[in-house]
Amino acid sequence: MAYVIAEPCIDLKDKACVEECPVDCIYEGRRALYIHPDECVDCGACEPVCPVEAVFYEDDVPPHWQPYRQANVEFFDVLGSPGGACAVGSVSADPPLVAAHAGRADDPNR
Amino acid sequence: MTEVIEALSLVPKAEAKQSMKDFKSDQEVRWCPGCGDYAVLAAVQGFMPELGLAKENIVFVSGIGCSSRFPYYMNTYGMHSIHGRAPAIATGLASSRRDLSVWVVTGDGDALSIGGNHLIHALRRNVNLKILLFNNRIYGLTKGQYSPTSEVGKITKSTPMGSLDAPFNPVSLAIGAEASFVARTVDSDRKHLTSVLRAAAEHQGTALIEIYQNCNIFNDGAFEVLKDKQQAEEAVIRLEHGQLIRFGADGSKGVVRDQATGDLKVIAVTDENASQILIHDAHTTSPTTAFALSRLADPDTLHHTPIGVFRSVDRPVYDTQMSDQLETAIEQKGKGDLATLLAGNDTWTTGR
Amino acid sequence: MKTLTEGEDLSSAPAVTTTLTTRTTPVRQLDRVIIRFAGDSGDGMQLTGDRFTSETASFGNDLSTLPNFPAEIRAPAGTLPGVSSFQLHFADHDILTPGDAPNVLVAMNPAALKANVADLPRGAEIIVNTDEFTKRPMAKVGYATSPLEDGSLGAYHVHPVALTSMTIEALKDFGLSRKEAERSKNMFALGLLSWMYHRPTEGTEKFLRTKFAKKPQIAEANVAAFRAGWNFGETTEDFAVSYEVAPATSAFPAGTYRNISGNLALSLGLIAAGRQADLPLYLGSYPITPASDILHELSKHKNFGVRTFQAEDEIAGIGAALGAAFGGSLGVTTTSGPGVALKSEAIGLAVSLELPLLIIDIQRGGPSTGLPTKTEQADLLQAMYGRNGEAPVPVIAPRTPGDCFDAAIDAVRIALAYRTPVFLLSDGYLANGSEPWRVPEVDELPDLRVQFASGPNHELADGTEVFWPYKRDPKTLARPWAVPGTPGLEHRIGGIEKQDGTGNISYDPANHDFMVRTRQAKIDNIEVPDLEVDDPHGAKTLVLGWGSTFGPISAAVRRLRVEGKPIAQAHLRHLNPFPKNLGEVLKRYEHVVVPEMNLGQLATLIRAKYLVDAISYNQVNGMPFKAEQLATALKEAIDD
């Protein structure tokens, strides 16, 4: 079991969650952040601090964002299980679901 | 894996392959979000399938404290007992049931304050127990008093002008108590934690693992120096049996023995002194170097903290010896006959 | 009359040439005798007493003993605090106490005389070791003039015996130092007393040769001293008469008997109980007077599968026993009052975990360190209430040394059947005192086996079968005992309040109220036999006791009835729960008197539960009640 970061994170990457995570299992992609499904310990510290409520416990991901569960897994296909995001740094890639995302109309960065 | 673990030879094996899920109980985990205990729980649940033991023959015994809620979350047999007394209770269980794998979960307050006496005697006796000591340098459950491992001058609810007592070094204490296996690890380093659990499970006798664990509510960042990327490199000394004791960026620092005092010290490695760097020997009989290694850490700032297995030696195991004595007694005197015992040596009979 | 034969010739020691001379003095019949041996702790008075007891038991008298020792291992020689004594009461009929006052005092030195003379009635015999009555030892204990010469012992019949010098003389050919020879003077005294009371001697000679098998010289020296004492009695004119006390054939129904002390009986009871329950016995204990003997005794029986663990402290002792109980052993811890105090939190845990566990308290004088070697029965309220919260624990008390065996078995029965810790309250007097005991047949012993849980015990609404660790037996309210190693029953238990049935942590108000009442009900409904009342004359006064006061109370009751005073007697073994008929019994009597060696603890319980105006009669001096004193007190209650 693990927590999952869903759509609201894309192109925002606030990183309040990263500050809270006791096991450093939240990794940075190009456009979003990803929680490692095997390294996450279900402590729930990330979920309440996200300013845009992008974080969900696996079982509680809303139906229209279910595909983000798989996205959180796919991100690590190449990386494997590094054992800590700090050592890895920012990765300039995203899984297809995120990479194909149209972007936000109100996104100042767009 | 389990076929070769001599230490677990008396514990029945699981019939089918196990997964992490098998070891999760149905209870909702209630530690504070962000607590380091979650990481340890995940690591232990992740590691248990590797041992392949029959789940019903595994027991977790805890005392009182946040960490002591641990047994409720493991789908094995478990007892959540009273403050400080888990090693004593576990000793009774382990020495009467050698077919069980007995784990003790305790904390810096539970094991080193009220439970200090039971801890040192369990270590001295070398009962077949694996003791997980969650050290967060604070009293969490009772909301923030200082603990026997808190740094001097710690300001807490019970020490508003700063604490006065020098902290214990649990590794030094354990070695002083004749411990046959002592290791230290960090909650957030899953790989390292797992490797230490593995070494402990393979050990015959008492294994003490001190786990640096972050209490993000009452003592957040207590081990930041050992986790922060920048600081950790210079602060953490990773011990591996058979390997040179080097650390720092590119292994620029090493541990050598001071020729004048015999004490250990950290030096910057050069071509001239590289040959003096110690090779870590966890299995040497003498505890002296292991003890000296444990003293390298600064008691307050934790700079130069060694982690890994400090000591892992073979000593007679209490439960084995206790059972052996029972067998020897039967060999010498034959199995006890109750009627003979009740009559004793000096009877007389009346007919009336 | 008895003749005894010459000793065997042992090549490594001088041949013992003394024979035991045939008896020529007149013999008087007595129905009972009370002897007290008194000397320095280092004089071997306990050994002397034990041997005399053994001889007496094998002769067939009924007997009761009262060892009395100081707390220190070796207090300074010749001082009052250093006096150790051993009192033995034996008779040709069944007796109940070690006797109120001795008929004979054997005083090995001035301190022993001073410490004990006040307990002697007029006309009692005193055998003194005159060699020790020199200026310094006498002055040490406050004798300005010698009591042997100044007439102060005029009320007694004094036998001066140069015990030390005669012993040394008897052993002169053994090549021992003076000090070594002197040590055998207790055997000389034993020989003399054995002659005086026609005790059989083979047992003692055999005992000495076995005890000193590795030092035959010492063995033979002791035998020689023993015989010299015997011969002295026979030849000297000072002992004009010897006494016979016939075997107490009516006191002993048919069977095989042995002499036994309370602690030994208790130890044997535990081993027997383990056998009858088919469970391995696990003792977790810490040395404490007067309970350490049980640890020692059980440690000898590893060939019965008994595990004994000398823990680092009292709490670890009970902790280990509880851990073993969790694993399916018969867990036991032994201690005295101060240890119970330390164990209280762990006992509460056992109550909450609802696991079987025996807590054996050999009570001694309190409070705090108190009087380690003296008796008292002041831990009753501690056993009843000494824990935080409502934590009821059954309490059982044996009444005689031999009864400790049965009490142990009964305590195990309750612990196992109801999954509860159980207190067994004995005391120093029972622990160290001894009496003849009928050895039970093994097939007479009760079957104590209980079943471990083996499978699911509850069906959920959706049909799934699960295991609920706190789902109770409807009759006993006991929860299932599921031990680690049983597949499919993995569960966690702890001291936090739990939901009835599931056993999950619960802070729910209604559940807590329910659980507290249920734990209480489980104990209240334990099946115990009805209280038996001995009331042959329809008395108006009842004397109610518990524990070791049985002997003195029974002796007092006997005396009163002989005098024509009707009195009823009842003695409780079960103090929690009380027998169901206790209330009804109490209401039948106008007066209820409760003699106790405390300030009224049972009386307090009786008054609270039954609203009966029980009258306390208390003594807290570290000694058992005297029958005469009790009889007088009870008479007052009857006459009121």
Side-chain angles (χ1 to χ4, degrees), chain A residues 1-25:
Chain A
M1 289 301 202
Y3 279 71
V4 172
I5 294 176
E7 197 267 352
C9 182
I10 297 179
D11 295 333
L12 185 59
K13 296 202 295 184
D14 181 271
K15 295 194 193 166
C17 56
V18 174
E19 287 306 301
E20 290 307 309
C21 178
V23 292
D24 198 23
C25 72

Side-chain angles (χ1 to χ4, degrees), chain B residues 190-239:
Chain B
R190 176 87 169 251
K191 280 206 182 73
H192 193 264
L193 218 182
T194 304
S195 74
V196 165
L197 288 171
R198 189 177 295 120
E202 288 170 6
H203 177 72
Q204 298 199 60
T206 316
L208 176 72
I209 305 177
E210 181 192 12
I211 306 174
Y212 279 161
Q213 171 245 319
N214 190 50
C215 171
N216 57 323
I217 305 298
F218 294 109
N219 200 19
D220 199 17
F223 304 103
E224 209 42 39
V225 67
L226 306 178
K227 296 185 187 184
D228 172 76
K229 188 154 173 263
Q230 247 102 347
Q231 302 177 68
E233 215 169 28
E234 300 301 312
V236 178
I237 304 174
R238 285 178 180 263
L239 299 173

Side-chain angles (χ1 to χ4, degrees), chain C residues 496-555:
Chain C
I496 299 188
E497 184 62 285
K498 66 271 299 165
Q499 186 182 37
D500 193 54
T502 64
N504 294 329
I505 291 180
S506 169
Y507 302 110
D508 178 72
N511 177 71
H512 179 53
D513 189 276
F514 179 76
M515 286 296 278
V516 169
R517 290 175 199 270
T518 302
R519 284 185 290 256
Q520 185 68 48
K522 182 176 83 166
I523 304 305
D524 290 343
N525 293 329
I526 290 175
E527 274 188 28
V528 305
D530 273 351
L531 179 64
E532 284 174 15
V533 184
D534 176 47
D535 186 7
H537 308 121
K540 293 208 170 68
T541 301
L542 171 73
V543 54
L544 179 71
W546 69 281
S548 67
T549 50
F550 177 72
I553 293 175
S554 304

Side-chain angles (χ1 to χ4, degrees), chain B residues 25-27 30 55-57 59 69 71-83 85 88-93 95-100 114 117-118 121-122 124-125 318-319 322-323 325-326 329-330 333-339 341-352, chain C residues 54 57-58 249-250 252-259 268 271-272 275 282 300-313 315-316 319-320 323-324 326-327 329 345-346 349 353 405 436-437 439-440 442 445 482-487 489-496 504-505 507:
Chain B
S25 78
D26 60 354
Q27 294 297 295
R30 296 211 203 142
K55 200 151 61 66
E56 62 269 18
N57 284 66
V59 188
R69 297 295 173 109
Y72 291 117
Y73 309 134
M74 291 294 294
N75 193 14
T76 61
Y77 281 89
M79 186 195 293
H80 179 208
S81 73
I82 42 180
H83 202 23
R85 318 296 174 190
I89 294 173
T91 292
L93 182 62
S95 61
S96 61
R97 292 286 308 272
R98 295 171 64 213
D99 62 326
L100 302 176
I114 185 169
N117 195 36
H118 304 309
H121 285 274
R124 170 181 72 87
R125 290 193 185 102
Y318 189 86
D319 349 341
M322 193 186 222
S323 284
Q325 278 194 342
L326 263 64
I330 293 177
K333 302 199 266 188
K335 256 187 135 207
D337 178 70
L338 187 59
L341 178 70
L342 296 182
N345 293 330
D346 229 318
T347 56
W348 68 95
T349 315
T350 69
R352 213 180 146 273
Chain C
S54 225
S58 65
T249 42
S250 62
F252 301 120
T256 303
Y257 288 79
R258 64 172 290 173
N259 200 36
L268 299 184
I271 297 178
R275 270 294 161 90
Y282 191 104
K300 294 191 227 166
H301 300 297
K302 297 188 198 308
N303 63 328
F304 280 84
V306 175
R307 283 179 156 77
T308 55
F309 172 63
Q310 181 186 311
E312 60 270 27
D313 61 30
I315 302 176
F326 181 57
S329 292
E345 191 196 17
L349 177 63
L353 296 179
F405 180 88
W437 177 63
V439 180
V442 172
L445 300 174
V483 304
T486 316
L489 305 189
E490 293 87 338
H491 65 282
R492 280 64 56 192
I493 52 176
I496 299 188
N504 294 329
I505 291 180
Y507 302 110

Side-chain angles (χ1 to χ4, degrees), chain C residues 55 117 174 219 228 249 299 380 402 405 437 464 493 514 547 631 636-637:
Chain C
E55 293 170 358
V117 69
F174 279 77
T249 42
S299 306
L380 178 57
F405 180 88
W437 177 63
T464 334
I493 52 176
F514 179 76
E636 281 175 26

Side-chain angles (χ1 to χ4, degrees), chain B residues 136-268:
Chain B
N136 57 13
R137 307 193 83 183
I138 198 77
Y139 276 33
L141 189 67
T142 46
K143 304 215 169 123
Q145 299 78 19
Y146 81 114
S147 100
T149 54
S150 297
E151 59 278 21
V152 179
K154 184 105 181 138
I155 305 212
T156 69
K157 287 189 190 150
S158 62
T159 54
M161 290 178 68
S163 64
L164 302 173
D165 7 341
F168 269 137
N169 178 325
V171 172
S172 306
L173 183 69
I175 294 171
E178 314 295 345
S180 60
F181 180 106
V182 188
R184 175 187 286 136
T185 183
V186 181
D187 59 359
S188 52
D189 190 338
R190 176 87 169 251
K191 280 206 182 73
H192 193 264
L193 218 182
T194 304
S195 74
V196 165
L197 288 171
R198 189 177 295 120
E202 288 170 6
H203 177 72
Q204 298 199 60
T206 316
L208 176 72
I209 305 177
E210 181 192 12
I211 306 174
Y212 279 161
Q213 171 245 319
N214 190 50
C215 171
N216 57 323
I217 305 298
F218 294 109
N219 200 19
D220 199 17
F223 304 103
E224 209 42 39
V225 67
L226 306 178
K227 296 185 187 184
D228 172 76
K229 188 154 173 263
Q230 247 102 347
Q231 302 177 68
E233 215 169 28
E234 300 301 312
V236 178
I237 304 174
R238 285 178 180 263
L239 299 173
E240 305 253 359
H241 172 73
Q243 303 295 320
L244 290 164
I245 310 180
R246 287 178 77 150
F247 65 105
D250 301 320
S252 56
K253 302 246 172 67
V255 175
V256 301
R257 203 178 297 280
D258 183 320
Q259 294 306 317
T261 66
D263 208 345
L264 297 185
K265 61 181 183 182
V266 170
I267 50 149

